Amino acid sequence: MDPLSDLSPLEMGDETCFHCSLPVTEQEDIVANIEGEPQHFCCTGCKAVCEAIYAAGLDGFYQRTPEGACLAPPPEIPKELALYDLDDVQEEFVGDLGEEREIHLLIEGIHCAACVWLIENTLNAISGVISAQVNLSGKRLHIKWHNSVIALSQIIQRLGQIGYAAVPYDPEVAEGALKKQNRHLLYRMAFAAFGMMNLLWISIALYSGANEGEFRTLFHWIGFALATPVLLYSGYPFYRGAWSGLRHLHLGMDLPIAIGASITYLYSLYVTVTGSLVGEVYYDTVVNFLFVILVGRYLEAMSKRQAVAATQRLLDLQPRVAIRIEEGNEKIVPIRAIRIDDLVLVKPGERMPVDGVIVEGQSVVDEAMLTGESQVVTKTVEDSVSAGTINGHGVLQIRVKGSLRNTALGRIISLVEEAQGSKAPIQCLADQIVPWFVAVTLALATVTFLYWVGSSFEVALLAATSVLIITCPCAFGLATPMSIAVASGLGAKYGILVKNGQVLETLSTINHVIFDKTGTLTEGGMSVVGIYTGEDQWTLDRESPPSLFITELMKKVAAVERNSEHPVALAVGQWTDGFMHVKDHLHTTDFHYQPGLGVAAMVDGELVQAGNTALMTSQGIASSEQLEQIAVRLDGQGVGSFFVAINGHQIGLIAVEDRIRDEAEALIGTLKSEGLHLTLLSGDRRQAAEAIAKRLGGMDVIAEVLPEEKDQVVQRLQDQGQRVAMVGDGVNDAPALVRADVGIAMGSGTDVSIASADIVLMSSELEKVRLAIGLSRRTLLTIRQNIGISITYNIIMVPLAMASIVTPLVAAISMPLSSLAVIGNSARIRSLFKGVKINR
C-alpha cells in the first residue's frame, strides 16, 4: 500500500511545507516521497526545488538553514532565458566575450548562509563552471564559466531549479531592490513611531496618578494592546538577528536589544495579567527603545542605496545612443548595437559614445570628467578618444575600438564596483565589548533571581528585572552612534558632509593623505596669472592695476579668443571682464583656429596671433629672447604660457595656470606638522607636478598616472601598511576614493566622486580637510569616554539593583542617566569648532 494513503485530510491540513515551512492547506497539499519519507509541500515549485536539492546530494542545505526560518516559495524564473546567451545582450554585462566569461548576477530568494552554501556547491559541481562566489549582503553572485561548455541560460535555469531567480546585475535593478528593503524598514519604523506616540498618553496618565486609581488595569491593557503589535512587527528584525547570532555562537547587538525589549515587555505583561499592585508596566520603554534603534538602522540602509546609485551615475556618463555611418548615411542606433570597427559620427558638444580612433576631422576634447585635468586636449586623425569625454568645436568620425564595459569609463566603473565590494566594515569598539557585557548581564540577573527567590518570587522577579533594565545596553549602543551623530551634524553645519558615520573612526587612524592635484589643491580652471611685454609686466600678486599698454593688448587678444571655446580663451575672457575699464568689444574678422598651435584673426585691421612657440615658428615670427627666458622660467614653476604677435612681431607673453588654492600651502604645512605623510597625485608631467609640490612646501609626488592607475597607487600604499585618505574630485578619482580607507571629495567635484566618497567638503575649502581629521580624532576620543561612562554607571548601579534596593520603576528612571551622560559628553564635540566661521 502507498504510505501516502494512510494520511488523513485533517493530518495533511496540519502540516507545514517541508521546503519553505509555510502552512499547507488541505486544498493546496502536495505530497512527495523524499528519501523514502512522505513530505508535504505548499506548491509544485517547493516540491521541484526540494527534489532537485536531494537529487544533487545537497540535502545538507536543510541542516544549515536556521530553525524557524521561512525560505518562502521559489521566485518565478525569468522568461526568455535564451536571450541571455546572445553576445549582443551579454556585451552589456560581460567584460570579455571570449571562451572564459564572468558576470555578476542579482539573486532573488537568497536570505542566509545556507543559501550561500547551496548556490556555491550546486554551481561549482556543474561541468563548465569555473567558480561561483555569493555576496550575501549584496545578494549578488559572481560566476565564471566556459561558454562553449555551458550557456548562461543553463546556469540561470539551474538556479531556478533550486529555488532562486537570477538576472544579470544592473545597478538600476539593484537600487530598486534596496529601495524595496528600505521601504519595509521604514514601515516598521513608522509603526513603532505610531505606537510610541499613543503610548505617550497612556504613560502620562499612569505617571499622573491613574496607576493608583480604578482605571489602572484598563490603562495597563490598553498599553499591552499598543505595545504587542509593535514588538512583534517592528521588533522582528532584532529577534531574527539575535536568533541567528545565537545559532552561530555570536552575541551581537541584536541580542541585548531583544533581551531588553522582551524582559521589559514580559514583566509588564506579568503585572498586567496578575493585576499586581507592587510592580509597574513599561510598555512605553519597549516601544521607545525599538523606535530609536530602527531610526539608526534605516539611516544605515539608506547609505547602502547611495553606494549603488553612485555606480549608476558613472553609467549615466556614457551616451545611450550613437550616430553610426552606414554606406554614407547617418543612423541613430542604441549603443549596444555598436560593434568593433563600426564608424560613428560625433558632433560638436556631444559626448563620445565609444572608445575609438579618429579617422576624419579634428577638434579639442574635454577629458576632465575622465582624467580630472582641466586643460582640453587637441585631437586629430589617428588620435584616440574615450567614451564619456566631450567633443569641442569639430566634427569627428571615429572607428570603434570599444564600447560599454570595454571602454576606459567602463573599466573605471568596474573598479568602483570592485573596490566597494572589497571594503571591509569597521568593527566598533562597542561591538567588541557587548558580547561580554551581555553574558555578564544575563549571569548577574540569574544570580540575583536565584538569591532572592527563596524569600519571595515577586521580590526575586523585581530584582532580576531591575538588573536587566538598569544594565540595558542603551549607553553602549549610544556610545558610538551618538558621538557620530553629533559629529556628523556638526560637520555638516560647517561644510563637512560625513556620508558614512563610521568613517570618522577610521579617519582618526589615518597616517597618509593623498591629494589629487587638479581641482583639489588647484582651483580646477585656467586663469591669467601674468602678462609680460618687452618693457612692462603685470602679475596676479601685484596690487597695482595693469598699464594702459597691457590693457590694450589684452583687449585685442580677448577679441580673438572670444571666438574660441578653449579653456585658455575662457581665462583671457575672465581676465578682461574682471577690469571695469575693459568693456569695449573690438571688431574681428578672418578668425582661424589651428589645433595644437593657437588662434589668429584680424582685429580692427591688425593681424593678432596668439599661440605656442610652434605657431610663432610656423608663421616666421622672430622670437624675443627676453620673453623666451620668461617662458622657460614659468615652465619650471609649472605655469603654462603662450605668445602674442601683432602684425608679425612678437610683443607679449601671457602666463596661464590652474591656480593653487589660497589655503593649500597652509594646509600642507599644518598636516606635515601633525606627522602625516603627504603625496601629490597627478596625471600631469612630473616636472610640472614637482614644481607645484615645491611651491606648496614639499611632499612626495606621483605623476603621469593614468586614470585606471590611481586606485592602484592607493592599493600599493595600503599593502605597505599605510592608512590612506584620498582627497580628489574627478571621475577618475572615484575608484581611488572608494579604495582608500577614507575618501574625501571636494564639493566642486563631479556627482560621481562625491557619491563615491565617505566625506564631502561642500564648500571646497581645503582647511576643512584639517577640520575633518580633527573632528574624527575628537569623535574617537569621545566614543572611548562614552564607553567608560557606561561602564562606571553600571559598576555603581548594578550592585544596588542586585541588592533589591533599586526597583524596576527606579531602574527605568535611572537607566536613561547613563544615556544622558553619553549624550551630554557627545555634545562637547561642538567645542572643536569654537571660533570657526560657518561658510558653506
Side-chain angles (χ1 to χ4, degrees):
M1 178 182 292
D2 189 345
L4 305 184
S5 62
D6 292 335
L7 295 173
S8 69
L10 178 61
E11 291 172 324
M12 291 190 293
D14 292 337
E15 294 289 346
T16 58
C17 180
F18 180 71
H19 174 72
C20 72
S21 299
L22 293 178
V24 178
T25 65
E26 182 177 348
Q27 292 78 17
E28 297 174 340
D29 184 49
I30 297 173
V31 185
N33 272 313
I34 303 295
E35 295 286 292
E37 295 288 335
Q39 304 294 351
H40 297 261
F41 299 93
C42 65
C43 62
T44 56
C46 284
K47 171 180 171 290
V49 168
C50 182
E51 289 176 337
I53 290 173
Y54 271 86
L58 297 171
D59 49 293
F61 165 70
Y62 293 105
Q63 280 74 51
R64 289 169 171 80
T65 303
E67 291 183 15
C70 292
L71 303 182
E76 183 180 354
I77 301 174
K79 298 178 180 179
E80 299 179 346
L81 290 180
L83 289 176
Y84 293 129
D85 295 334
L86 300 176
D87 287 349
D88 294 347
V89 176
Q90 288 191 17
E91 187 175 27
E92 187 172 355
F93 306 102
V94 177
D96 183 9
L97 294 175
E99 164 59 19
E100 291 188 7
R101 303 187 181 186
E102 58 181 298
I103 193 173
H104 287 274
L105 298 175
L106 189 64
I107 307 296
E108 182 184 353
I110 185 172
H111 77 287
C112 67
C115 296
V116 175
W117 179 88
L118 177 61
I119 293 172
E120 291 182 347
N121 281 274
T122 299
L123 296 183
N124 284 323
I126 299 175
S127 175
V129 173
I130 301 172
S131 66
Q133 295 178 322
V134 176
N135 182 328
L136 178 59
S137 61
K139 300 187 185 304
R140 282 159 60 180
L141 166 65
H142 181 218
I143 188 163
K144 297 181 181 180
W145 78 99
H146 289 288
N147 196 57
S148 62
V149 179
I150 187 171
L152 178 60
S153 62
Q154 293 176 285
I155 296 174
I156 297 176
Q157 181 72 36
R158 182 57 178 150
L159 284 168
Q161 291 172 354
I162 61 172
Y164 304 95
V167 293
Y169 171 74
D170 186 307
E172 289 183 347
V173 175
E175 187 177 4
L178 285 175
K179 258 184 172 180
K180 184 177 179 181
Q181 295 174 11
N182 293 349
R183 187 164 60 247
H184 288 312
L185 191 57
L186 183 61
Y187 290 160
R188 297 185 193 276
M189 184 178 70
F191 194 72
F194 172 79
M196 180 183 69
M197 288 185 291
N198 284 278
L199 273 169
L200 176 64
W201 297 109
I202 304 299
S203 300
I204 291 174
L206 290 172
Y207 294 143
S208 299
N211 62 324
E212 297 178 355
E214 57 182 315
F215 297 109
R216 170 188 169 92
T217 303
L218 173 62
F219 281 122
H220 284 184
W221 282 109
I222 294 175
F224 165 79
L226 290 170
T228 301
V230 172
L231 182 67
L232 295 177
Y233 178 67
S234 299
Y236 171 74
F238 305 113
Y239 287 106
R240 182 181 58 190
W243 177 244
S244 176
L246 289 174
R247 290 275 298 173
H248 296 89
L249 303 179
H250 173 72
L251 303 180
M253 281 297 293
D254 282 336
L255 183 61
I257 292 171
I259 291 175
S262 298
I263 294 298
T264 308
Y265 173 81
L266 290 174
Y267 175 72
S268 301
L269 180 60
Y270 164 78
V271 172
T272 302
V273 172
T274 62
S276 172
L277 299 177
V278 178
E280 300 293 340
V281 295
Y282 307 102
Y283 294 121
D284 57 335
T285 302
V286 175
V287 175
N288 293 351
F289 184 53
L290 290 176
F291 172 72
V292 171
I293 299 298
L294 282 171
V295 169
R297 292 285 176 91
Y298 179 73
L299 294 176
E300 179 184 353
M302 290 300 294
S303 67
K304 293 180 180 178
R305 179 185 161 195
Q306 291 171 0
V308 176
T311 307
Q312 179 59 34
R313 289 191 187 96
L314 277 169
L315 292 171
D316 288 342
L317 292 174
Q318 189 171 51
R320 299 300 184 189
V321 297
I323 302 174
R324 184 166 62 191
I325 300 177
E326 300 176 353
E327 299 178 354
N329 298 319
E330 299 177 9
K331 182 179 180 180
I332 299 177
V333 298
I335 190 65
R336 67 179 60 186
I338 296 295
R339 299 290 177 266
I340 301 299
D341 289 332
D342 278 357
L343 197 63
V344 300
L345 182 73
V346 183
K347 297 180 179 180
E350 292 183 348
R351 288 190 183 273
M352 303 291 177
V354 296
D355 281 6
V357 176
I358 298 174
V359 296
E360 183 178 317
Q362 60 182 21
S363 183
V364 293
V365 177
D366 182 359
E367 298 181 334
M369 54 74 60
L370 189 64
T371 66
E373 307 305 330
S374 56
Q375 294 193 26
V376 295
V377 180
T378 301
K379 298 287 185 178
T380 186
V381 175
E382 296 187 357
D383 285 341
S384 298
V385 293
S386 298
T389 57
I390 302 174
N391 184 26
H393 53 74
V395 177
L396 301 176
Q397 289 188 19
I398 300 171
R399 183 73 63 187
V400 178
K401 297 301 179 184
S403 63
L404 296 171
R405 294 272 177 169
N406 294 317
T407 64
L409 178 60
R411 288 189 289 273
I412 289 177
I413 293 170
S414 298
L415 287 172
V416 172
E417 292 178 347
E418 179 187 347
Q420 285 177 335
S422 65
K423 184 177 255 187
I426 301 168
Q427 183 66 36
C428 294
L429 291 174
D431 286 341
Q432 298 173 8
I433 296 174
V434 162
W436 299 99
F437 177 81
V438 173
V440 171
T441 298
L442 294 174
L444 291 176
T446 302
V447 169
T448 302
F449 181 81
L450 294 176
Y451 178 81
W452 288 104
V453 73
S455 301
S456 168
F457 175 80
E458 183 127 330
V459 171
L461 182 61
L462 289 175
T465 304
S466 296
V467 172
L468 286 169
I469 291 176
I470 211 164
T471 57
C472 181
C474 293
F476 275 116
L478 286 172
T480 298
M482 190 63 210
S483 301
I484 289 174
V486 172
S488 301
L490 188 64
K493 181 179 179 181
Y494 287 89
I496 303 171
L497 180 60
V498 181
K499 299 187 65 183
N500 179 354
Q502 289 181 327
V503 80
L504 287 169
E505 295 181 58
T506 308
L507 184 57
S508 66
T509 65
I510 291 299
N511 55 20
H512 197 129
V513 181
I514 299 177
F515 288 95
D516 184 59
K517 181 182 76 71
T518 303
T520 303
L521 292 176
T522 63
E523 294 179 348
M526 304 300 289
S527 301
V528 175
V529 295
I531 305 167
Y532 306 87
T533 64
E535 300 178 355
D536 197 5
Q537 70 176 31
W538 172 90
T539 56
L540 189 63
D541 54 0
R542 290 179 59 175
E543 296 183 0
S544 58
S547 65
L548 180 61
F549 179 77
I550 287 179
T551 300
E552 291 298 320
L553 173 65
M554 288 299 291
K555 286 171 62 176
K556 296 175 182 178
V557 176
V560 178
E561 297 285 11
R562 192 168 289 111
N563 296 282
S564 172
E565 295 297 324
H566 196 282
V568 169
L570 298 178
V572 172
Q574 290 173 355
W575 189 93
T576 56
D577 292 340
F579 291 90
M580 298 302 294
H581 52 280
V582 182
K583 297 180 180 179
D584 300 335
H585 287 179
L586 303 179
H587 179 65
T588 62
T589 57
D590 299 331
F591 173 78
H592 182 60
Y593 167 70
Q594 294 180 269
L597 299 176
V599 293
M602 297 299 296
V603 180
D604 285 352
E606 293 182 309
L607 175 61
V608 178
Q609 296 166 294
N612 55 24
T613 302
L615 175 68
M616 299 292 123
T617 302
S618 66
Q619 299 298 313
I621 299 173
S623 63
S624 164
E625 183 176 351
Q626 180 184 0
L627 295 180
E628 288 282 359
Q629 291 176 351
I630 295 174
V632 172
R633 174 172 58 83
L634 291 172
D635 186 61
Q637 298 173 355
V639 179
S641 61
F642 65 94
F643 296 97
V644 178
I646 297 181
N647 292 330
H649 298 286
Q650 191 179 94
I651 64 172
L653 178 72
I654 299 176
V656 292
E657 73 164 339
D658 185 3
R659 291 176 54 199
I660 295 176
R661 295 181 186 270
D662 294 336
E663 66 273 24
E665 186 175 357
L667 170 67
I668 297 303
T670 300
L671 296 182
K672 288 173 66 176
S673 67
E674 293 179 358
L676 292 173
H677 198 85
L678 307 180
T679 296
L680 176 66
L681 190 63
S682 176
D684 283 352
R685 295 177 298 111
R686 172 165 289 278
Q687 180 182 3
E690 288 179 343
I692 296 294
K694 184 177 180 181
R695 288 165 61 185
L696 289 170
M699 68 177 83
D700 290 346
V701 173
I702 301 178
E704 301 176 18
V705 179
L706 296 176
E708 305 97 300
E709 296 175 345
K710 290 194 174 183
D711 84 309
Q712 297 175 18
V713 172
V714 174
Q715 184 69 62
R716 285 198 298 269
L717 291 174
Q718 290 174 326
D719 292 341
Q720 297 169 10
Q722 301 286 315
R723 301 281 288 175
V724 181
M726 172 74 189
V727 186
D729 81 318
V731 171
N732 67 297
D733 299 327
L737 289 171
V738 178
R739 178 76 66 184
D741 296 286
V742 177
I744 303 176
M746 305 296 290
S748 60
T750 63
D751 287 343
V752 175
S753 60
I754 290 175
S756 301
D758 299 303
I759 295 177
V760 177
L761 308 182
M762 293 186 288
S763 64
S764 296
E765 295 180 18
L766 280 173
E767 173 64 11
K768 296 296 194 298
V769 175
R770 183 190 65 79
L771 286 174
I773 295 174
L775 181 64
S776 69
R777 292 174 176 173
R778 174 67 67 85
T779 302
L780 186 61
L781 175 62
T782 303
I783 289 172
R784 290 171 175 164
Q785 291 173 344
N786 288 345
I787 292 175
I789 289 172
S790 179
I791 292 174
T792 302
Y793 163 83
N794 284 286
I795 289 175
I796 295 173
M797 297 302 296
V798 170
L800 296 177
M802 294 181 69
S804 195
I805 297 174
V806 174
T807 67
L809 178 60
V810 175
I813 296 173
S814 302
M815 182 182 66
L817 292 180
S818 60
S819 300
L820 289 173
V822 165
I823 293 171
N825 187 56
S826 299
R828 293 176 56 246
I829 296 176
R830 300 177 187 277
S831 62
L832 177 69
F833 286 81
K834 192 174 183 179
V836 177
K837 183 185 295 186
I838 299 177
N839 181 16
R840 304 184 195 183

